[in-house]
Amino acid sequence: MSEPFVRDDVKAVLDMLAQQDGPQMHEVEPEQARQMMLAMGSLTERPRGELAEVKDAAAPSGHGHDIPVRVYHAEAPAGPAPVLVYYHGGGWVIGDLDTHDGLCAEIARQLGMTVVSVDYRLAPEHKFPAAGEDCVAATRWVAGSPAEIGHKVTGLVVAGDSAGGNMAAVVAQELAGRLDIPFLAQWLIYPGVDTQAAGGSMDEFAEGYLLTREGMAWFSAHYLGREEDLTDVRASPILTEDLSSQPRALVFTCGLDPLRDQGRAYAGRLIEAGVRTVYREAPGQIHGCMNMRQAIPSAQEDLSGCIRDLKHLLNEALPA
């Protein structure tokens, strides 16, 4: 088999990581892995940059705890408008508002839309389905136009990367058509949608491309508590029987990602169900690139391309 295409800026990052001493994330305890992700972000991700307003707030969970959220306004709110709700990646074990601060700010800036980032509970302290419950509750809260948003919310876009892409698909399946405002689109960024995925890209890119097969097993072991969780649609949304009621979708995958094939498959399922779907794949790109735009400049172009596609979907969904 020929060697896969690797972008020059991606190769430079992979070479740098290969030279680092010390354990990999899946070889340490979750708290240390969380600190490792923050440290990597400080070296590889772009800073937040200028926005009109960024503020922290909390959404009620309905389970006795509050869910931290962060609200981004690229410009001062001028009236009723849609909101993009973002769920961070990190295998349901790592990641938080800070690891995805620069990305959410850039999305707000380029999309011209209020963004609300959700800091859902993490495993193993809070196993499945705690993360999804928090994301559903926070999205319901946003849909109710709380004062913290700063304007009336007229529609929702759900988005997330990796485990956050899983959350976006789960929330769309749970809430689309069940709120007082419409779901305008879902944006799934290299999503994990099949906890039993095997073969194909899971084997082809099992190691050497940042996210590894061992790493995915480590994340799943911490997140899922029972064998039957593997086939629960809230863990593996690709197992849902009917996707025909789902909102317009943008699915983005990376050519060197172990999760590539399940993202492709989910896009295919949406298309088969008649859902308006845009599928975009980045050749030579790795999982996690959206949080590495300083170290991988081409990822910034991938992000901008996604946002252009998302704007097209929103223009179709919104009244003239």
Side-chain angles (χ1 to χ4, degrees):
M1 181 181 294
S2 60
E3 288 295 316
F5 166 67
V6 183
R7 300 181 187 187
D8 289 341
D9 53 1
V10 171
K11 184 177 187 303
V13 167
L14 293 176
D15 289 345
M16 176 194 71
L17 293 174
Q19 296 170 9
Q20 301 301 309
D21 294 327
Q24 298 186 49
M25 280 189 183
H26 66 268
E27 297 172 330
V28 302
E29 293 301 312
E31 186 53 44
Q32 185 178 350
R34 292 164 190 160
Q35 296 306 313
M36 290 170 69
M37 185 177 186
L38 279 168
M40 179 180 289
S42 68
L43 297 174
T44 61
E45 175 61 314
R46 294 187 175 196
R48 176 193 293 172
E50 292 298 320
L51 291 173
E53 182 181 36
V54 178
K55 61 181 178 182
D56 290 344
S61 69
H63 293 281
H65 66 279
D66 286 337
I67 305 163
V69 300
R70 185 167 293 167
V71 183
Y72 298 81
H73 294 300
E75 299 178 356
V83 169
L84 184 146
V85 185
Y86 196 91
Y87 319 105
H88 68 78
W92 310 281
V93 177
I94 61 178
D96 57 25
L97 297 179
D98 292 332
T99 60
H100 286 65
D101 186 62
L103 176 58
C104 287
E106 185 67 9
I107 292 170
R109 197 159 31 237
Q110 287 201 35
L111 192 58
M113 183 181 291
T114 300
V115 171
V116 178
S117 181
V118 179
D119 197 12
Y120 53 86
R121 288 172 293 171
L122 298 177
E125 295 89 342
H126 305 281
K127 286 187 174 289
F128 170 85
E133 290 173 347
D134 282 0
C135 291
V136 168
T139 306
R140 285 187 182 276
W141 175 78
V142 171
S145 298
E148 291 88 341
I149 302 301
H151 61 82
K152 181 176 176 57
V153 180
T154 58
L156 293 174
V157 178
V158 289
D161 62 293
S162 193
N166 171 285
M167 292 288 94
V170 167
V171 171
Q173 289 186 14
E174 177 74 19
L175 295 181
R178 297 183 175 93
L179 299 174
D180 292 335
I181 60 173
F183 269 69
L184 303 175
Q186 56 183 319
W187 177 17
L188 313 182
I189 302 170
Y190 33 80
V193 291
D194 185 356
T195 58
Q196 300 182 94
S201 60
M202 288 294 288
D203 289 344
E204 188 176 355
F205 309 114
E207 58 182 28
Y209 299 97
L210 189 62
L211 179 64
T212 65
R213 184 169 55 198
E214 283 186 292
M216 280 304 302
W218 183 86
F219 287 129
S220 293
H222 281 304
Y223 180 51
L224 302 173
R226 305 169 303 167
E227 186 174 349
E228 53 263 40
D229 293 342
L230 294 169
T231 55
D232 191 310
V233 296
R234 296 170 298 169
S236 296
I238 199 168
L239 298 179
T240 299
E241 292 185 5
D242 184 9
L243 291 170
S244 60
S245 63
Q246 289 302 284
R248 290 171 172 82
L250 168 60
V251 182
F252 172 77
T253 60
C254 293
L256 303 175
D257 184 358
L259 305 189
R260 181 196 66 192
D261 289 358
Q262 55 189 280
R264 287 178 175 178
Y266 197 73
R269 287 280 324 275
L270 289 166
I271 292 168
E272 288 172 358
V275 176
R276 172 75 167 100
T277 302
V278 175
Y279 178 72
R280 171 182 283 264
E281 186 164 297
Q285 187 60 278
I286 57 173
H287 190 94
C289 62
M290 293 298 192
N291 296 102
M292 305 176 73
R293 291 170 295 115
Q294 184 70 37
I296 305 178
S298 66
Q300 178 71 12
E301 295 305 313
D302 294 325
L303 176 61
S304 296
C306 282
I307 291 176
R308 287 194 296 271
D309 288 340
L310 184 58
K311 286 180 177 178
H312 285 305
L313 290 178
L314 294 174
N315 285 338
E316 293 173 0
L318 292 167

